[in-house]
Amino acid sequence: MNTQDTSATLTLDALSIPYQRRIYDYDPSAGKLGIAAAKALGLSPDHVLKTLMVQIDGRPACVVLPADRELDFTRVASAFGGRKAKMLSRPEAEQRTGYKIGGVSPFGQRSIVPTAFDQSAMEGPPVVINGGDRGLLLELGPQDALIATNGLIADLVRPLP
């Protein structure tokens, strides 16, 4: 269990943004880490948000979306005013953020990058987002997450079938 401070918690503390730690047993063999985290905490996967690192026309960016949804790369590129979006490689995402995959948070990254939250995640109750370490999620208000990242809200996901 992780009760230590991370760059993410230190960033939120410095901004006086309230949050609650949600600690769970991280399973590195889980195929979909966000869904596994939601299950471990007894939460709906649309309440738990995953953080993904992407490139927009070669520039890094961060996207945050419900764990049970998939990115639409055309929509992601458009949200950032670009033409083409693709995922950053695992090593590049870890190097750029300072976090290990499975622990990437939009808060307190090594370098500031544009961040977008899927609109469906920003409506309603508090959200649960990775806190900068495997097995550590942070629960906070959606507007507080936007403030902490200077983020934008956009339609980022593929339509549900």
Side-chain angles (χ1 to χ4, degrees), residues 64-146:
V64 185
L65 62 152
D68 62 348
R69 302 294 302 272
E70 298 295 325
L71 284 182
D72 180 311
F73 287 101
T74 301
R75 291 178 178 185
V76 170
S78 177
F80 290 103
R83 293 184 340 229
K84 184 177 180 188
K86 68 178 187 175
M87 294 296 296
L88 276 182
S89 70
R90 289 176 69 105
E92 190 173 357
E94 289 181 345
Q95 188 280 327
R96 180 164 293 284
T97 64
Y99 298 124
K100 297 269 187 219
I101 298 299
V104 175
S105 178
F107 316 118
Q109 292 187 6
R110 189 173 278 154
S111 58
I112 296 173
V113 297
T115 301
F117 290 80
D118 184 63
Q119 62 189 11
S120 68
M122 304 313 283
E123 303 162 357
V127 292
V128 180
I129 304 173
N130 200 289
D133 199 2
R134 295 169 174 169
L136 173 64
L137 297 178
L138 305 176
E139 185 170 7
L140 69 160
Q143 290 304 313
D144 287 335
L146 278 173

Side-chain angles (χ1 to χ4, degrees), residues 36 41 47 58 61 84 105 129 149 157:
L41 291 169
H47 181 72
K84 184 177 180 188
S105 178
I129 304 173
T149 59
V157 299

